[in-house]
Every structure is written in C-alpha cells, then in structure tokens.
C-alpha cells in the first residue's frame, strides 16, 4: 500500500466533521462531471479578534474514499480562516496531511474545492436558513414518479 493510500485509510477510519450544520451560514454543493460523485459543504462563521472567521465546516458526500478523506482534512484546515483565506486554498492545499493527490485522484480534491468555493459564494444574507434537503434526500426519487415492483 502506498503512503498516500495508507493516509487515506487512516483518514477514513475516523472521518471528521461529517453531517450537516443545521444553522450554517453557507452551504455549497457540487457534482463531479468526471465521476458523478457529489459533495456538500456547510460553513459556520464566527467573530474572532474583530475578524469573521470559519468556526466550523462540515461535509456530506456521495463520493469516493479520497473525496471523503480530503473533505475530512479540509474541514479541519478551514477552522479559523477568513472567507478570503479559505478561497485562496487550492485543492492540493486542502488535502492537508494527505499530501499531493495522485493524478487519477486530482478531481476528487477538486470536488472538495468546488463545494467550498460554492459555499463561499453564498453570502450570509443570501444563504438559505436551512441547508435544504440532505444529499440522501436529494437522491430519493420524487414521490409518484416510480413504481416499485417487488420481486418474487
Ligand atoms: Fe469521484 Fe473521487 S472518484 S470524487
């Protein structure tokens, strides 16, 4: 197992900051055109030393293990950052201790970066009070649109 795979495995053993922040100030959701995976990120800001900084960040993912590991690292890294500092972080910086992503996994980091940037684009005034449906809700088929036929 490569060093990278080992670090991903460790991050997945105890992923941090999973699940929604109900009173989040901003929510960002993206889907990867490369693999169809989805990731949503919630941000909660606070005032510290006269600056508005990220107090908490969390995520929910229908994504691969790398995306989950990166999101776990990224949501830890974001604590204490201003929106501008957070926006300046590249996908490679968001990976934290995982280090640089292998070429085949770069889009997994970009999924996390995209959800973060999407959340940062939501000004607090515009951010929805509630995050809306969770990703698992969003994946459910609309009522009445499908018929479920039990197998024999
Ligand atoms: Fe889709 Fe990693 S393979 S985010």
């Amino acid at each position: 197992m490569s060093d990278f795979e080992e670090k991903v495995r460790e991050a997945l053993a105890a992923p941090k900051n999973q699940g929604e922040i109900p009173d989040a100030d901003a929510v960002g959701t993206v889907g990867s055109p490369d693999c169809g995976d989805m990731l949503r990120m919630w941000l909660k800001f606070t005032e510290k030393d006269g600056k508005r900084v990220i107090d908490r960040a969390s995520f929910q993912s229908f994504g691969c293990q790398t995306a989950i590991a990166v999101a776990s690292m990224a949501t830890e890294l974001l604590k204490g950052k201003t929106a501008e500092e957070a926006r300046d972080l590249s996908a490679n910086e968001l990976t934290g201790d995982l280090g640089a992503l292998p070429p085949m996994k770069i889009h997994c980091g970009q999924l996390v970066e995209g959800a973060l940037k999407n959340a940062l684009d939501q000004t607090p005034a515009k951010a929805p009070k509630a995050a809306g449906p969770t990703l698992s809700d969003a994946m459910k088929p609309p009522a009445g649109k499908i018929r479920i036929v039990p197998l024999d």
Side-chain angles (χ1 to χ4, degrees), residues 2-66:
S2 71
D3 195 33
F4 173 77
E5 287 167 346
E6 180 62 34
K7 285 180 178 168
V8 167
R9 212 172 56 86
E10 275 170 28
L12 288 173
K16 304 223 168 62
N17 311 309
Q18 282 201 94
E20 81 176 272
I21 299 174
D23 59 343
D25 295 312
V27 187
T29 308
V30 287
S32 166
D34 291 320
C35 63
D37 290 341
M38 290 174 70
L39 194 128
R40 179 171 286 171
M41 188 177 285
W42 287 262
L43 299 176
K44 179 78 187 159
F45 287 86
T46 189
E47 288 285 321
K48 195 171 172 207
D49 302 329
K51 283 197 293 186
R52 191 163 173 272
V53 298
I54 295 172
D55 185 36
R56 281 184 299 147
S58 74
F59 73 98
Q60 195 179 37
S61 169
F62 282 130
C64 72
Q65 298 190 333
T66 303

